[in-house]
Amino acid sequence: DNKRYAEEALNQVLIHLRLLQDTQTQVLFHGWNCDTGSHMSAARWTRANAWVTLGVPMILVEIAPHIEVPDEVIERYGRLIKGLAGYQQADGLWSTVMDEPDYYREISGSAGIGAGISKALETGMIEPDEQWNAVVERVLQAVIPYISEEGEVGGVSGGTPVLASIAAYNEVPIYPALYGQGLVLLLLVQAIRGKG
């Protein structure tokens, strides 16, 4: 119940959306260099988009009772969702760099985007629409086969700083990681909540 913390959380959300959102595609670049005023390699990295897609509705649920959320956040987030939906591949997943369809599919980022869209629908951040439900259902069905009998999630790219080139993202090794488990768990929880 600390208004100052709520205001700072909102400030951080706005900073991320304003600096990272690509005005052409509406999705997010992986990083921003304050010194050069550039997006560095200008990669539209899927997992970076997933963290924001999922994080923003979770943050707004917490801060909305304490401060007014400006329309800019909702508008930018809505444009982000539309942009992301346009990069979902026919198999229901996103490539590790979303505008590089020949790059490998990345499960943690795909799951995070699906969970985020589901959370945004649940919280009323985006209007109910069969298109968004279809995006979430397609990614859910695509992710499930990557869960082993032991519950381990495959297809997760390793830790990824902002890389020097877009091509370098396709070379990041794939191995099980806790953040991959977590993002898939969040997608599964959202699916259960939606059916509850």
Side-chain angles (χ1 to χ4, degrees):
D1 294 334
N2 187 312
K3 185 177 179 182
R4 186 167 64 86
Y5 291 169
E7 289 170 344
E8 183 55 31
L10 175 61
N11 183 47
Q12 292 296 323
V13 167
L14 282 168
I15 287 170
H16 276 75
L17 292 174
R18 287 173 180 164
L19 291 180
L20 298 178
Q21 194 159 33
D22 177 16
T23 56
Q24 292 182 5
T25 66
Q26 302 305 323
V27 300
L28 308 177
F29 292 109
H30 186 183
W32 172 258
N33 185 315
C34 293
D35 290 334
T36 63
S38 75
H39 293 105
M40 298 159 3
S41 61
R44 295 170 183 91
W45 185 48
T46 289
R47 195 162 59 228
N49 279 266
W51 292 127
V52 175
T53 303
L54 180 57
V56 170
M58 294 172 79
I59 292 167
L60 293 191
V61 163
E62 299 297 324
I63 67 173
H66 309 291
I67 60 171
E68 185 176 337
V69 175
D71 291 342
E72 179 187 357
V73 174
I74 306 302
E75 289 165 5
R76 283 183 177 275
Y77 188 85
R79 292 197 308 265
L80 170 62
I81 298 307
K82 287 178 185 169
L84 292 170
Y87 285 114
Q88 188 178 32
Q89 301 294 320
D91 62 8
L93 301 170
W94 283 262
S95 300
T96 190
V97 175
M98 64 180 55
D99 56 336
E100 296 290 344
D102 294 333
Y103 284 21
Y104 68 82
R105 302 296 193 262
E106 209 286 321
I107 300 308
S108 67
S110 296
I113 291 169
I117 294 171
S118 179
K119 188 70 172 175
L121 286 164
E122 177 189 300
T123 61
M125 218 182 138
I126 56 176
E127 293 293 321
D129 189 307
E130 276 309 308
Q131 177 187 2
W132 309 139
N133 293 334
V135 168
V136 173
E137 185 60 27
R138 282 175 44 219
V139 69
L140 176 66
Q141 295 307 317
V143 163
I144 288 172
Y146 285 86
I147 305 170
S148 75
E149 292 279 331
E150 295 75 33
E152 185 177 85
V153 176
V156 176
S157 66
T160 311
V162 180
L163 297 174
S165 70
I166 290 173
Y169 285 81
N170 204 34
E171 302 302 319
V172 174
I174 298 171
Y175 52 81
L178 290 177
Y179 49 81
Q181 298 288 132
L183 288 166
V184 168
L185 281 169
L186 286 164
L187 175 63
L188 296 174
V189 166
Q190 284 300 127
I192 292 167
R193 289 165 67 107
K195 291 176 173 49

